């Protein structure tokens, strides 16, 4: 199954060229990429991640607001009892903040030096680790499905 | 109103059918938040399914955004299934329809799901039909299905939608030609979007002339989705069609039955080509003992034989 990724662009900064390049690179790596456009609130990002049932949410932040936006996203995902969607970040994020973000559950930060290939490899690794191969995850719970289908 | 829990279960159920993990019934059994809307003693009205189709760049997503607004204003809940094409080379896809629908992102009465076409050819994804049924079970009043940008032959939406809106734009001379050739037979409503552009009246007139030649009553409307002009008229036309008789259901069932029969026939032919008899014919073809036409006749005979054997 293709890996499904949400590329989200929160906050007030109006630059999404990077996010669009990322979206294309992930597509060319065979992923299904949902792109949401600019000026997303954490609530919009979380709702989109849930409705699209993505494997990974990639949040691009250039404005320096990462220490407010990531905690909000992680809290809202927890409130909605979502524990199987990985969150990663990219953009301009200070080294010193990376451990703090990982502490609240952000899986990986891809800084400006990261290549698109680093990003592809990172996402594939995270999905493999999470075991959130969507087919396998659902297969574990479909014991009753065959029964229902044969009714 | 639709609970958050239902959004989550609907989303996961769609993934399960999309990835071939389970079928529609299996998904319903597994995601119990679905179907709760129809578990009551009173029969629930089924969702009305609106199909939005037309050439790429005609403004389908922006129009869907306006329709969401109108449907919500009337107090109904709405699920949107928006299909974008998969790359036939990498199987990847960029799904961008949500960009135009962001205003509704926080509204629990609105569920938006993007689907990659996964190289299915008919303008929809293989799981779109099941996704629509699941959204219905989740209790949404209206389901809007937006196809990939289509030309003349992607008519799969017929099997899914109750009402089909074909969207085009002015100055797409060839676009109108394409619509004439292919989408004419499935349109319940024509929309010339971007009606502030030169040529809008000419395109609309063109379509009206064509519609007049047919038997069905097909409104031709003009909209500017960007600012909402003409959208109230479109909503009124949609409501009229939704309240009308269900003749499209007959068309949908016919379409689906023919499609399944065709799929079955293809499977049968592929199986027949795998038999020793067919292999022998193909060997003789390779060895210049048969012409292509002879080989086709011989294989046709074999297929006929296997068909009778069933």
């Amino acid at each position: 199954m293709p890996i499904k990724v949400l590329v989200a662009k929160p906050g007030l900064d109006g630059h999404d060229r990077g996010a669009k390049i990322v979206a294309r690179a992930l597509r060319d790596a065979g992923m299904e990429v949902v792109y949401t456009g600019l000026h997303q609130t954490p609530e919009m990002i979380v709702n989109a991640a849930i409705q699209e049932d993505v494997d990974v949410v990639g949040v691009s932040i250039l404005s320096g607001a990462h220490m407010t936006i990531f905690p909000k996203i992680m809290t809202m995902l927890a409130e909605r009892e979502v524990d199987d969607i990985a969150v990663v970040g990219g953009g301009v994020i200070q080294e010193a903040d990376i451990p703090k973000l990982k502490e609240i559950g952000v899986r990986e930060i891809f800084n400006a030096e990261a290549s698109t290939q680093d990003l592809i490899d990172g996402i594939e690794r995270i999905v493999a680790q999470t075991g959130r191969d969507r087919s396998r995850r659902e297969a574990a719970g479909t014991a009753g499905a065959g029964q229902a289908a044969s009714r | 109103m639709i609970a958050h829990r239902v959004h989550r279960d609907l989303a996961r159920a769609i993934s399960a059918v999309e990835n071939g993990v389970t079928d529609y019934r299996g998904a319903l059994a597994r995601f119990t938040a679905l179907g709760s809307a129809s578990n009551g003693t009173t029969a629930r009205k089924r969702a009305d399914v609106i199909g939005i189709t037309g050439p790429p760049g005609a403004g389908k997503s922006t129009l869907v955004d306006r329709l969401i607004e109108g449907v919500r204003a009337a107090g109904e809940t709405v699920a949107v299934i928006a299909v974008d094409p998969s790359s036939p080379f990498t199987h990847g896809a960029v799904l961008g329809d949500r960009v135009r629908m962001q205003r509704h992102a926080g509204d629990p009465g609105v569920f938006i799901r993007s689907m990659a076409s996964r190289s299915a050819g008919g303008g929809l994804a293989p799981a779109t039909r099941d996704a629509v049924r699941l959204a219905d079970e989740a209790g949404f009043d209206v389901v809007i299905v937006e196809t990939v940008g289509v030309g003349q032959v992607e008519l799969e939406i017929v099997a899914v939608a109750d009402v089909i809106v074909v969207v085009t734009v002015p100055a797409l001379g060839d676009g109108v030609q394409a619509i004439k050739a292919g989408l004419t037979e499935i349109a319940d409503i024509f929309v010339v979007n971007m009606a502030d552009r030169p040529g809008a009246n000419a395109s609309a007139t063109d379509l009206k002339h064509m519609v007049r030649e047919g038997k069905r009553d097909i409104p031709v409307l003009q909209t500017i989705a960007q600012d909402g002009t003409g959208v109230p008229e479109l909503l009124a036309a949609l409501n009229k069609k939704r309240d009308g008789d269900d003749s499209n259901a007959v068309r949908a069932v016919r379409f689906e039955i023919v499609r399944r029969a065709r799929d079955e026939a293809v499977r049968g032919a592929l199986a027949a080509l795998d038999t020793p008899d067919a292999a022998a014919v193909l060997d003789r073809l390779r060895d210049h003992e048969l012409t292509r036409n002879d080989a086709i006749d011989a294989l046709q005979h074999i297929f006929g034989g296997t068909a009778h054997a069933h």
Side-chain angles (χ1 to χ4, degrees):
Chain A
M1 283 317 120
I3 294 172
K4 193 170 179 183
V5 182
L6 179 75
V7 174
K9 193 76 193 88
L12 295 175
D13 82 70
H15 299 277
D16 67 346
R17 183 179 283 186
K20 282 179 175 164
I21 289 171
V22 163
R24 274 186 62 176
L26 297 180
R27 178 198 67 186
D28 291 343
M31 300 183 194
E32 294 179 352
V33 186
V34 181
Y35 182 63
T36 58
L38 292 164
H39 309 314
Q40 302 285 299
T41 65
E43 188 191 17
M44 289 159 92
I45 293 169
V46 167
N47 280 332
I50 289 172
Q51 292 177 3
E52 298 289 351
D53 194 32
V54 292
D55 302 299
V56 176
V57 182
V59 183
S60 160
I61 303 180
L62 305 172
S63 66
H66 49 272
M67 292 312 290
T68 49
I69 287 169
F70 278 111
K72 279 186 188 161
I73 291 174
M74 301 314 293
T75 304
M76 291 180 82
L77 282 172
E79 279 169 7
R80 302 276 292 269
E81 295 173 26
V82 177
D83 57 4
D84 59 351
I85 297 178
V87 176
V88 303
V92 183
I93 290 167
Q94 291 85 330
E95 284 296 324
D97 288 337
I98 293 176
K100 296 178 204 161
L101 291 172
K102 288 198 170 170
E103 205 164 290
I104 61 168
V106 177
R107 290 291 293 273
E108 195 60 79
I109 297 293
F110 299 94
N111 250 331
E113 302 84 48
S115 68
T116 51
Q117 191 58 48
D118 293 338
L119 185 58
I120 292 162
D121 294 344
I123 287 175
E124 283 175 350
R125 190 180 63 243
I126 286 167
V127 172
Q129 281 167 2
T130 326
R132 199 181 193 269
D133 174 340
R134 280 178 292 167
S135 52
R136 247 189 299 151
R137 179 186 58 128
E138 303 298 353
T142 47
Q147 221 181 338
S150 62
R151 243 188 255 146
Chain B
M1 204 43 59
I2 308 277
H4 279 314
R5 175 83 214 150
V6 176
H7 280 233
R8 172 97 160 124
D9 268 17
L10 174 56
R12 296 174 72 190
I14 291 173
S15 297
V17 294
E18 192 175 33
N19 293 332
V21 172
T22 179
D23 62 3
Y24 160 76
R25 282 173 197 282
L28 266 191
R30 171 151 160 63
F31 298 99
T32 48
L34 306 180
S36 51
S38 52
N39 280 350
T41 45
T42 52
R44 188 179 64 86
K45 187 182 172 301
R46 309 308 295 187
D48 285 329
V49 184
I50 298 171
I52 308 288
T53 190
K60 295 185 291 296
S61 298
T62 310
L63 203 57
V64 168
D65 175 64
R66 291 290 172 190
L67 292 179
I68 295 171
E69 187 180 42
V71 169
R72 290 298 290 138
E76 294 182 300
T77 56
V78 55
V80 176
I81 312 289
V83 188
D84 268 329
S86 297
S87 158
F89 305 108
T90 66
H91 305 298
V94 172
L95 312 172
D97 291 328
R98 281 189 92 91
V99 175
R100 319 261 175 239
M101 306 175 196
Q102 278 310 311
R103 296 183 299 149
H104 313 286
D107 178 354
V110 180
F111 176 96
I112 300 169
R113 175 65 173 242
S114 316
M115 289 184 109
S117 67
R118 303 224 170 148
S119 306
L124 299 179
T128 303
R129 187 185 173 74
D130 281 339
V132 169
R133 295 166 80 187
L134 289 166
D136 178 22
E137 289 293 341
F140 286 93
D141 299 314
V142 176
V143 182
I144 299 177
V145 180
E146 181 187 334
T147 71
V148 303
V150 300
Q152 308 183 6
V153 293
E154 298 95 337
L155 307 178
E156 195 90 329
I157 188 71
V158 165
V160 175
D162 301 316
V163 185
I164 296 174
V165 180
V166 174
V167 184
T168 185
V169 286
L172 232 187
D174 285 350
V176 173
Q177 293 302 324
I179 278 173
K180 279 183 183 174
L183 295 173
T184 314
E185 291 138 279
I186 67 165
D188 298 304
I189 298 170
F190 277 117
V191 169
V192 179
N193 190 35
M194 306 188 193
D196 50 342
R197 291 197 178 176
N201 285 331
S203 293
T205 307
D206 211 9
L207 287 169
K208 277 177 186 160
H209 282 310
M210 186 189 68
V211 162
R212 219 168 286 151
E213 291 161 18
K215 285 179 190 137
R216 296 186 301 136
D217 166 36
I218 307 173
V220 178
L221 305 173
Q222 297 190 40
T223 60
I224 307 170
Q226 202 72 51
D227 68 8
T229 302
V231 172
E233 290 79 3
L234 173 57
L235 283 162
L238 276 170
N239 285 336
K240 201 174 156 205
K241 294 281 182 188
R242 284 171 65 190
D243 293 340
D245 69 9
D246 218 358
S247 52
N248 282 1
V250 175
R251 185 180 65 180
V253 167
R254 287 175 61 104
F255 185 95
E256 183 66 15
I257 291 297
V258 169
R259 194 175 66 99
R260 286 181 189 193
R262 196 171 52 224
D263 289 353
E264 180 80 4
V266 169
R267 272 195 298 274
L270 289 172
L273 279 169
D274 255 352
T275 58
D277 284 356
V281 170
L282 294 174
D283 281 344
R284 293 178 65 201
L285 173 67
R286 195 177 294 114
D287 295 341
H288 300 289
E289 287 173 29
L290 292 175
T291 67
R292 292 179 188 190
N293 284 334
D294 289 341
I296 290 167
D297 287 346
L299 289 171
Q300 190 72 55
H301 184 71
I302 294 172
F303 294 170
T306 48
H308 287 301
H310 277 299

